[in-house]
Amino acid sequence: MERHVLGLSGGRDSAALAVLMRQKLPDLKLDYFFTDTGKELPEVYEFLGRLEGFLGTPILRLNPDRDFDFWLREYNSFLPSPRTRWCTRQLKLRPFERWIRPELDAGTTIYSYVAIRADESHREGLTATHPNLRVVMPLRERGIDKRGVIELLEAAGLGLPDYYRWRSRSGCTFCFFQQKIEWVNLMREHPDAFEEAKRYEKTALEHGSPFTWSDRESLEQLGQPERIAQIETEHARRVERLRARQRPNALRPDGSGGEEMLDDEGGGCLVCHK
Ligand code: SF4
């Protein structure tokens, strides 16, 4: 017995992978899934809906048995961070394992399709954690890079998720991998989510957590008008540098490409953001 599964993050690369698989192997029975942390951006759900329309099949939602608030209490109100990523483990990986584990143990070979691009050779894919689990990376195998991913989505009529206007990654509203400018953007696009993140942070700091969501400052500090102005100036300078270098993929010929301006290189979470 064998089964084929493809995890969608609500991001660009995994969506492009789904498009590619549908186009190249239309007869392959592929189960699409999305592990929902319960703290996702509304734009993620909207994009998944668009993708379901293209694929003509529902995307299975895998919900964790315990939510973010439960795990936060378990971890003594310490916020997750790039080095202590309990959120990914508990809210993304566990539900996936719970879903496929019985079949793996029963001897089914499960092929998991993972969206690692060809221009990400420095990044490792998900490691197979079970002898019957096989990890497949079709984007990398076919030499598809970031530009190729965008082309696939545009040609399919899907375009990019709307949050790329102001943020470079999918994932939780309060994801600590986001850049300072993205926190500022979150404050404007989803003020309720920003306020919620602030509340989590306040509780965490009161419980002695060494972590703030954003490096070396609280959201209270980051949200002050002078600090926002400083962050915006720094971001504008960075955009100028990118323009000057004319880095491949930095801008489209028509000057658009806000998602590239934010640049999602470096860091990030393979499970959450692809
Ligand atoms: S998106 Fe960010 S905060 Fe959410 S589970 Fe992934 S790493 Fe954690």
Side-chain angles (χ1 to χ4, degrees), residues 37 39-40 68 80 85-89 91-92 167 170-177 213 269 271-273:
T37 64
K39 298 291 178 184
E40 311 283 342
F68 178 82
R85 238 170 51 211
W86 57 257
C87 48
T88 311
R89 200 160 53 247
L91 301 171
K92 290 275 181 185
R167 180 168 150 159
S170 58
C172 301
T173 52
F174 46 61
C175 184
F176 41 82
F177 283 118
W213 287 121
C269 170
V271 178
C272 299
H273 302 123

Side-chain angles (χ1 to χ4, degrees), residues 65-246:
D65 50 350
R66 310 284 197 174
D67 64 9
F68 178 82
D69 289 359
F70 170 88
W71 289 113
L72 187 61
R73 282 192 298 276
E74 285 293 293
Y75 287 91
N76 294 323
S77 294
F78 276 34
L79 298 178
S81 71
R83 298 175 92 179
T84 318
R85 238 170 51 211
W86 57 257
C87 48
T88 311
R89 200 160 53 247
Q90 306 297 359
L91 301 171
K92 290 275 181 185
L93 293 173
R94 263 180 96 241
F96 174 64
E97 283 166 8
R98 215 158 31 103
W99 179 50
I100 59 164
R101 186 91 205 190
E103 283 188 68
L104 287 170
D105 288 347
T108 302
T109 303
I110 297 187
Y111 293 86
S112 175
Y113 294 79
V114 178
I116 307 290
R117 301 188 313 256
D119 52 338
E120 294 184 297
S121 50
H122 58 291
R123 292 182 75 176
E124 288 308 313
L126 282 176
T127 327
T129 48
H130 191 286
N132 293 335
L133 182 64
R134 310 265 191 279
V135 174
V136 194
M137 302 181 216
L139 294 177
R140 182 189 279 183
E141 285 160 15
R142 290 168 184 262
I144 296 173
D145 60 7
K146 188 190 280 188
R147 174 65 62 186
V149 156
I150 293 171
E151 282 169 4
L152 267 170
L153 292 176
E154 285 179 352
L158 279 165
L160 294 169
D162 285 347
Y163 60 77
Y164 275 117
R165 280 187 300 108
W166 59 273
R167 180 168 150 159
S168 61
R169 301 186 173 96
S170 58
C172 301
T173 52
F174 46 61
C175 184
F176 41 82
F177 283 118
Q178 65 193 304
Q179 303 163 35
K180 306 267 183 201
I181 188 70
E182 295 175 303
W183 280 109
V184 172
N185 292 342
L186 178 71
M187 191 171 69
R188 293 192 176 129
E189 296 284 332
H190 298 293
D192 293 351
F194 186 82
E195 288 306 316
E196 181 186 54
K198 250 163 92 172
R199 284 196 297 277
Y200 280 130
E201 188 176 72
K202 192 161 174 287
T203 310
L205 293 173
E206 283 165 6
H207 282 77
S209 164
F211 307 119
T212 45
W213 287 121
S214 186
D215 199 23
R216 291 190 295 273
E217 64 186 331
S218 68
L219 293 185
E220 187 63 48
Q221 294 165 319
L222 185 147
Q224 295 303 314
E226 324 78 65
R227 181 64 182 126
I228 291 174
Q230 196 183 18
I231 291 169
E232 286 177 328
T233 304
E234 282 164 12
H235 178 65
R237 287 205 190 110
R238 183 162 167 245
V239 169
E240 277 312 307
R241 282 200 299 275
L242 272 172
R243 282 181 197 275
R245 274 191 282 155
Q246 292 192 319

Side-chain angles (χ1 to χ4, degrees), residues 5-67:
V5 301
L6 192 158
L8 294 156
S9 68
R12 179 184 57 199
D13 294 356
S14 55
L17 176 59
V19 169
L20 178 78
M21 295 301 291
R22 170 51 52 96
Q23 289 172 344
K24 299 295 176 196
L25 296 169
D27 297 327
L28 181 71
K29 177 159 177 355
L30 197 47
D31 293 319
Y32 303 96
F33 68 94
F34 168 67
T35 42
D36 190 341
T37 64
K39 298 291 178 184
E40 311 283 342
L41 292 165
E43 293 95 325
V44 163
Y45 300 112
E46 188 274 328
F47 186 62
L48 290 175
R50 256 193 275 164
L51 193 54
E52 280 178 327
F54 172 85
L55 297 169
T57 185
I59 296 164
L60 179 68
R61 267 57 165 184
L62 298 180
N63 297 312
D65 50 350
R66 310 284 197 174
D67 64 9

